[in-house]
Amino acid sequence: MDEETKTTAPAQDDEGKCVPCDQQRIVDLGSAVNHSKRGNIYTLTIVGQVEGHQVLPETAKATKYEHVMPLLASLEQNEEIDGILLLLNTVGGDIEAGLGIAELISGMRKPTASLVLGGGHSIGVPLAVAPKVSMIVPSASMTIHPVRMNGTVIAAPQTFNYFERIQERIVSFVAKNSRIGKEKFLSLMLKTGEMAADVGSVIYGEEAVELGLIDRIGGLSDALECLYEQIEENKK
């Protein structure tokens, strides 16, 4: 079977029966479309690690940026999709990939909302604040820490400047897309004494809202209602 046949043939289950497209999307991308009289909402999940240019081990749960980026571009142009719900439970991952996805989401004209479940850590923070409205469940947590890099690091002033510039990009994006100020967010990022083996802060649901990082506390029904309200406003 050639590559073209693989991509165009309908998906099948273990018994050889065809799998519906919506069901297959949930399996492949963790996504689904909800159709209702109030509008069609596309649900996209970002879970595990955000995978960048390097492929993660098969044992790691990952969200691949090369899947998410073209998908978002397609959704923005799809007339059948009225709004996008982003479900987040991520430990973070590749900075460039995560920030790239966040920039795409923030630049969308369609109604968007995020819901942080479990955790929205590290580069998950810009992803959480990128939509027009951000929500978090009370039990969820968010880790804010300085930029870290694996592998060989050259001990030179240029390396430090590079880290600072990446950090500034993240701080500026978060401040632009939320109600928290740059200085406050940076102070959380550089806080000492809270994390056992790192610099930074861990904040939880209500605290994230009080700080202005997340817009409001809510659950799934709240996030959906928020999207329907945005859709109705757009129609007006």
Side-chain angles (χ1 to χ4, degrees):
M1 183 179 289
D2 58 25
E3 194 64 32
E4 183 179 355
T5 307
K6 289 181 182 178
T7 55
T8 57
Q12 297 180 343
D13 59 17
D14 295 336
E15 298 178 357
K17 297 178 181 179
C18 291
V19 178
C21 292
D22 286 347
Q23 184 178 335
Q24 189 61 31
R25 274 198 293 264
I26 295 174
V27 173
D28 294 341
L29 297 174
S31 61
V33 182
N34 178 52
H35 303 277
S36 74
K37 293 180 180 179
R38 300 181 67 184
N40 300 329
I41 293 178
Y42 191 99
T43 301
L44 175 65
T45 59
I46 294 185
V47 297
Q49 285 184 260
V50 178
E51 185 180 87
H53 302 298
Q54 295 188 356
V55 178
L56 293 169
E58 292 184 1
T59 54
K61 180 69 70 176
T63 298
K64 299 178 182 293
Y65 83 107
E66 69 268 26
H67 291 172
V68 178
M69 285 185 167
L71 175 60
L72 289 170
S74 175
L75 291 174
E76 177 72 352
Q77 301 173 77
N78 191 334
E79 296 180 356
E80 295 181 1
I81 300 298
D82 300 305
I84 299 162
L85 174 62
L86 189 69
L87 299 180
L88 280 164
N89 189 0
T90 175
V91 295
D94 188 278
I95 294 172
E96 298 284 353
L99 200 55
I101 294 171
E103 289 281 11
L104 276 178
I105 295 170
S106 69
M108 298 181 80
R109 291 184 177 181
K110 288 192 174 181
T112 53
S114 65
L115 180 60
V116 181
L117 303 157
H121 307 294
S122 192
I123 201 62
V125 176
L127 287 167
V129 304
K132 293 177 174 60
V133 178
S134 59
M135 293 187 182
I136 187 170
V137 297
S139 62
S141 60
M142 305 181 80
T143 302
I144 303 167
H145 61 72
V147 172
R148 296 178 299 195
M149 188 172 291
N150 296 325
T152 303
V153 177
I154 300 173
Q158 291 87 342
T159 302
F160 179 74
N161 292 336
Y162 175 67
F163 274 40
E164 274 199 323
R165 293 179 70 179
I166 294 177
Q167 197 161 279
E168 175 58 28
R169 288 163 59 194
I170 295 171
V171 172
S172 297
F173 181 87
V174 172
K176 179 182 177 181
N177 291 276
S178 69
R179 293 177 290 107
I180 195 170
K182 285 186 178 181
E183 294 77 12
K184 182 60 180 177
F185 186 73
L186 192 59
S187 69
L188 291 170
M189 184 180 281
L190 302 177
K191 188 176 181 180
T192 58
E194 184 169 322
M195 299 174 66
D198 201 354
V199 176
S201 306
V202 180
I203 60 176
Y204 296 89
E206 293 183 359
E207 185 182 2
V209 176
E210 291 173 0
L211 289 167
L213 184 60
I214 299 296
D215 292 325
R216 61 184 88 158
I217 291 286
L220 179 58
S221 60
D222 301 306
L224 290 171
E225 183 62 30
C226 171
L227 275 173
Y228 287 132
E229 289 174 358
Q230 290 185 54
I231 292 169
E232 289 173 7
E233 187 66 28
N234 276 8
K235 290 179 179 178
K236 292 178 183 178

